[in-house]
Amino acid sequence: MELGRASGPFTVDVSADGHLRYTPAITLSGLPQPPSLGRHATYVAWVASPTMDVIQRLGTVRNGRTVLPAISLDKFIVLVTAEESANATDMGGRLMLRGMSPSTRLQPPDFMQFVLGSTREDSGGHEHHEHGGGDSLAWTMVPMPAGISMLPAEMTLRPNAAPYLPRVVNPNSLPVAEPRQLIPLASGDTLRLTAGIVRRPFKGRTLTTFAFNGQYPGPLLQVAQGARITVELTNALDQPTTVHWHGVRLDNPNDGVPDMTQRAVAPGERFTYHLRFPDAGIYWYHPHVREDIQQDLGLYGNIMVRSPRSSYFSPANREEVLMLDDLLMGDDGMVPFGTATTTHALMGRFGNVMLVNGEPRYALAVGRGEVVRYFLTNVSNTRTFNLSFLGARMKVVAGDVGNYEREQWVESIVIGPAERYVVHVRFDTAGDVALVNRVRGLDHLYGRFFSEEDTLGVIRVAGGAASPDLSASFATLRADTAVRASVARYRRYFSRPADKALVLTMEAQGLPFFTRQIMQLDSIFFTPVEWSGTMPGMNWAATGDQVRWILRDAATGKENMDIDWTFRRGEVAKIRLVNERRSFHGMQHPIHIHGQRFLVLAVNDVPNTNLVWKDTVLLPAGATADILLDLSNPGRWMLHCHIAEHLSAHMMMAFTVQ
Ligand code: C2O
Ligand code: CU
């Protein structure tokens, strides 16, 4: 039985409440003719929970291949019985076949392993700490997510790195950060952008964070498609930085990649970027130096590139631009970062406070029937969100680099780090509508899935009807003929064999005994998406010195920065991305390609039927994606995982467009 995937706008098929949906295809051979078993007329497949408290009919099956309805249980058993009637609604006949989902292999492991692990002396590694210059910043315990079990040995783990948080002699001298402002820029304009250190009142404390122009998020830039602007960056941080203009197909020297397109800008220095915006859509900017620190501390902002087509989007009553993030707060404030190497090198730094535009609670008041166009950007280090508006209908209209071929109803938005989606949401009934992230967490120790739900904001829908009334246009799924035409020009490349293949995997060295033991046990099953940080201690303590995430060129075996791909301008390359299931630790990777655009043609060999130009694709653990890369922009560019800690743990390569 293959646990397939239905074609859809995202690379992960998941329900709004967070359950993954598998579309099973069963292939049977050698089953006897049912009548030879007695009065039995037909074979029926059923799906059941492991404890058999839930049993659902999937449908009749026979020798050969049958695609069955989707399954959305975390762990399940599939049974084939011989039934008297093809319409049997209860499983009553003779049991012929039985199979279990890979996730059922997750069992509470042998507790003796852990008792052994917890008594070993080398589990902490804290005797070799680098020192941070004799000051008082020290590691304390990392916060525990509710409902997760951690063993004593895990609680003694500490990262082997000096802790870093931005600190100044006199914090009161710092400017207080303010919410972002919209900055419309005309072609030829110059923007002064300063990356600096600020104070931020946050949940009853004052944090020292970073900000662009003292704003959180950074200023929202608005330009017309085709505009050219200049940005004068000043680095007022305590460390080198650059700015990368994510998704923008600009001229290579302005791409903001240190040691590739420019030298990192030292504290106190400046750099001038010349930007052009060939594509409409929602983009963003962030540093390309230690994103795990700089981006997480607040250095991110959106760029809205407006199409000259007035009907580029179908109508909406208003627009909202949301940057989604999460922040990791401990008992004494923000959990420090690693100074010379990243912490959280396994799964990335999951935060425990969800942020919308830098604030823990998003609020909006709308009229009844209003259609809101939401521009969503995930700027978190590692978290993939599964977002929905409880009780409001939603359609997805655009992705990273412009519109989908046609609008499509969705029950939730799956958005990985660095991805953007534009959705239209209609608020039909008066009352409060929550914007929620609903996922299934995985307690690795006990092999148990559980629901997690976070409310990111509340939309207050008033009693009075909104005007104009957009119910008719909202109910229609519009096609974008210009996007269709732009995609159609590439259709002749769709079915050709892949030109290149990249395998995504990892290696580890020097991890504590305890961590290695648990990871070995854990490798029995990797959930396609790690939605939340449910190995908090182990993950936190693993550094970029111990973990190496790998992009491997399948043809040459070369890895990361040793890979040297060269293309010619105007070439179109089909690239197969394979997220290796047998890796030491499998998880999803949002793969981002600089300076170009691509189409996600197929995921797990299931073709996508509604295409959109993208710059980032979320690859679930064990998944394969075929992308068609449009190599139109000359220069030397990066391809990397956008989980900030994976990037800091080497998961990057470069390619040249001649
Ligand atoms: Cu937003 Cu190199 O990335
Ligand atoms: Cu990654």
Side-chain angles (χ1 to χ4, degrees):
M1 186 159 197
E2 300 156 48
L3 298 179
R5 160 187 179 269
S7 182
F10 312 111
T11 55
V12 191
D13 189 6
V14 60
S15 66
D17 71 1
H19 282 89
L20 287 170
R21 222 167 358 216
Y22 302 99
T23 303
I26 189 163
T27 306
L28 298 169
S29 62
L31 279 177
Q33 288 300 309
S36 68
L37 298 169
R39 282 187 294 110
H40 301 299
T42 187
Y43 294 114
V44 178
W46 312 82
V47 62
S49 62
T51 48
M52 305 283 280
D53 55 333
V54 177
I55 302 177
Q56 292 158 359
R57 183 191 148 97
L58 286 173
T60 57
V61 292
R62 60 189 60 81
N63 284 331
R65 187 170 187 268
T66 313
V67 177
L68 295 164
I71 297 174
S72 56
L73 297 170
D74 300 315
K75 300 183 177 185
F76 54 90
I77 305 171
V78 172
L79 304 146
V80 174
T81 58
E83 299 289 343
E84 282 177 36
S85 150
N87 304 322
T89 51
D90 287 313
M91 190 169 64
R94 178 163 160 191
L95 178 62
M96 303 299 291
L97 292 163
R98 182 182 64 183
M100 294 158 89
S101 69
S103 51
T104 57
R105 284 191 223 134
L106 283 172
Q107 299 288 335
D110 182 359
F111 210 77
M112 278 310 289
Q113 278 285 13
F114 297 113
V115 176
L116 194 69
S118 61
T119 56
R120 287 284 293 246
E121 276 306 318
D122 70 340
S123 53
H126 43 272
E127 60 278 16
H128 328 284
H129 278 163
E130 339 166 4
H131 289 290
D135 60 19
S136 59
L137 189 61
W139 297 116
T140 53
M141 193 48 219
V142 76
M144 285 292 299
I148 286 295
S149 22
M150 223 199 286
L151 289 165
E154 187 175 7
M155 302 214 264
T156 65
L157 298 174
R158 296 289 179 275
N160 186 10
Y164 167 83
L165 279 177
R167 287 191 301 172
V168 293
V169 183
N170 180 7
N172 291 328
S173 68
L174 292 172
V176 178
E178 287 175 9
R180 79 159 170 221
Q181 284 165 17
L182 173 69
I183 304 188
L185 293 160
S187 208
D189 282 358
T190 296
L191 171 76
R192 275 173 232 295
L193 193 68
T194 300
I197 307 178
V198 295
R199 263 184 307 160
R200 263 211 65 187
F202 187 82
K203 293 191 123 189
R205 294 181 222 270
T206 302
L207 307 179
T208 303
T209 69
F210 292 167
F212 282 121
N213 289 4
Q215 298 174 27
Y216 64 90
L220 169 56
L221 313 183
Q222 181 170 275
V223 296
Q225 184 178 355
R228 290 174 176 270
I229 64 166
T230 303
V231 178
E232 299 240 354
L233 172 73
T234 301
N235 181 3
L237 304 172
D238 58 356
Q239 53 190 281
T241 194
T242 62
V243 178
H244 170 59
W245 312 91
H246 184 117
V248 180
R249 295 193 292 164
L250 40 58
D251 295 327
N252 187 251
N254 304 287
D255 199 39
V257 179
D259 305 320
M260 188 173 300
T261 64
Q262 68 171 98
R263 282 224 307 274
V265 186
E269 292 192 348
R270 292 177 182 209
F271 190 86
T272 304
Y273 294 97
H274 300 282
L275 310 181
R276 60 184 175 91
F277 302 93
D279 305 294
I282 184 83
Y283 301 89
W284 65 298
Y285 57 97
H286 62 78
H288 223 288
V289 176
R290 286 304 295 270
E291 287 89 324
D292 62 296
I293 299 176
Q294 297 188 11
Q295 190 181 298
D296 206 37
L297 283 169
L299 292 178
Y300 52 78
N302 268 131
I303 310 164
M304 174 83 74
V305 183
R306 295 288 184 187
S307 164
R309 286 153 58 196
S310 60
S311 61
Y312 181 74
F313 293 118
S314 55
N317 296 96
R318 83 167 77 207
E319 293 185 330
E320 287 281 293
V321 181
L322 307 188
M323 302 196 95
L324 309 159
D325 196 5
D326 59 354
L327 202 59
L328 183 58
M329 298 291 293
D331 293 339
D332 319 310
M334 243 182 304
V335 173
F337 301 88
T339 301
T341 182
T342 186
T343 60
H344 294 91
L346 287 173
M347 287 160 55
R349 180 174 168 121
F350 281 98
N352 53 3
V353 182
M354 308 289 157
L355 302 179
V356 174
N357 292 339
E359 294 279 12
R361 241 324 139 104
Y362 162 74
L364 180 73
V366 301
R368 185 167 47 79
E370 238 184 74
V371 174
V372 180
R373 178 180 306 128
Y374 275 103
F375 295 87
L376 307 172
T377 305
N378 182 351
V379 301
S380 68
N381 289 19
T382 192
R383 182 179 300 273
T384 300
F385 291 90
N386 181 42
L387 298 173
S388 54
F389 293 84
L390 291 180
R393 269 189 109 187
M394 163 162 76
K395 58 183 180 183
V396 63
V397 305
D400 299 338
V401 186
N403 282 347
Y404 275 88
E405 289 184 284
R406 65 186 139 72
E407 300 176 342
Q408 189 168 350
W409 297 114
V410 288
E411 56 181 284
S412 62
I413 292 281
V414 180
I415 183 167
E419 284 189 303
R420 283 92 62 213
Y421 286 104
V422 183
V423 295
H424 286 184
V425 187
R426 184 162 193 264
F427 298 97
D428 288 327
T429 30
D432 285 353
V433 173
L435 167 58
V436 292
N437 180 41
R438 293 199 289 172
V439 299
R440 298 291 285 167
L442 174 55
D443 183 339
H444 295 259
L445 208 46
Y446 291 98
R448 185 179 60 90
F449 292 86
F450 60 97
S451 280
E452 287 185 273
E453 173 167 339
D454 280 288
T455 299
L456 280 68
V458 174
I459 293 84
R460 180 142 293 176
V461 186
S467 85
D469 176 1
L470 300 177
S471 50
S473 59
F474 183 75
T476 317
L477 293 177
R478 207 185 65 166
D480 187 320
T481 48
V483 171
R484 281 209 165 155
S486 111
V487 167
R489 286 197 289 276
Y490 294 83
R491 216 163 273 282
R492 62 197 166 104
Y493 301 108
F494 283 15
S495 54
R496 78 164 179 208
D499 301 287
K500 307 260 183 209
L502 268 188
V503 177
L504 284 49
T505 185
M506 69 98 79
E507 271 170 16
Q509 55 160 33
L511 286 173
F513 174 80
F514 170 82
T515 303
R516 285 198 316 270
Q517 292 296 301
I518 298 274
M519 287 178 68
Q520 219 91 57
L521 284 165
D522 199 49
S523 67
I524 202 155
F525 170 74
F526 296 122
T527 180
V529 178
E530 287 276 0
W531 300 98
S532 62
T534 50
M535 291 175 159
M538 275 172 43
N539 179 33
W540 171 52
T543 69
D545 294 335
Q546 296 165 323
V547 174
R548 194 168 76 97
W549 287 98
I550 297 169
L551 301 167
R552 182 182 299 135
D553 179 12
T556 62
K558 288 187 178 174
E559 294 176 350
N560 295 347
M561 292 307 283
D562 291 336
I563 300 174
D564 196 8
W565 286 354
T566 304
F567 303 97
R568 271 177 212 290
R569 179 180 191 177
E571 227 181 285
V572 176
K574 187 164 174 179
I575 300 174
R576 169 156 270 222
L577 303 170
V578 181
N579 192 353
E580 197 171 68
R581 193 181 290 280
R582 291 180 180 285
S583 124
F584 185 54
H585 182 78
M587 66 175 286
Q588 74 277 8
H589 299 282
I591 298 297
H592 170 48
I593 301 180
H594 284 214
Q596 320 295 332
R597 60 178 185 172
F598 58 79
L599 298 167
V600 181
L601 298 180
V603 178
N604 295 346
D605 294 315
V606 178
N608 278 336
T609 51
N610 184 16
L611 297 173
V612 64
W613 288 106
K614 304 250 315 152
D615 56 56
T616 306
V617 58
L618 179 69
L619 215 67
T624 296
D626 294 310
I627 64 169
L628 195 71
L629 182 59
D630 177 24
L631 293 143
S632 58
N633 197 6
R636 189 160 161 77
W637 306 95
M638 295 213 85
L639 180 159
H640 64 86
C641 176
H642 218 288
I643 291 178
E645 292 73 17
H646 290 185
L647 178 55
S648 291
H650 319 288
M651 199 169 194
M652 59 175 131
M653 58 166 281
F655 63 95
T656 304
V657 182
Q658 291 176 336

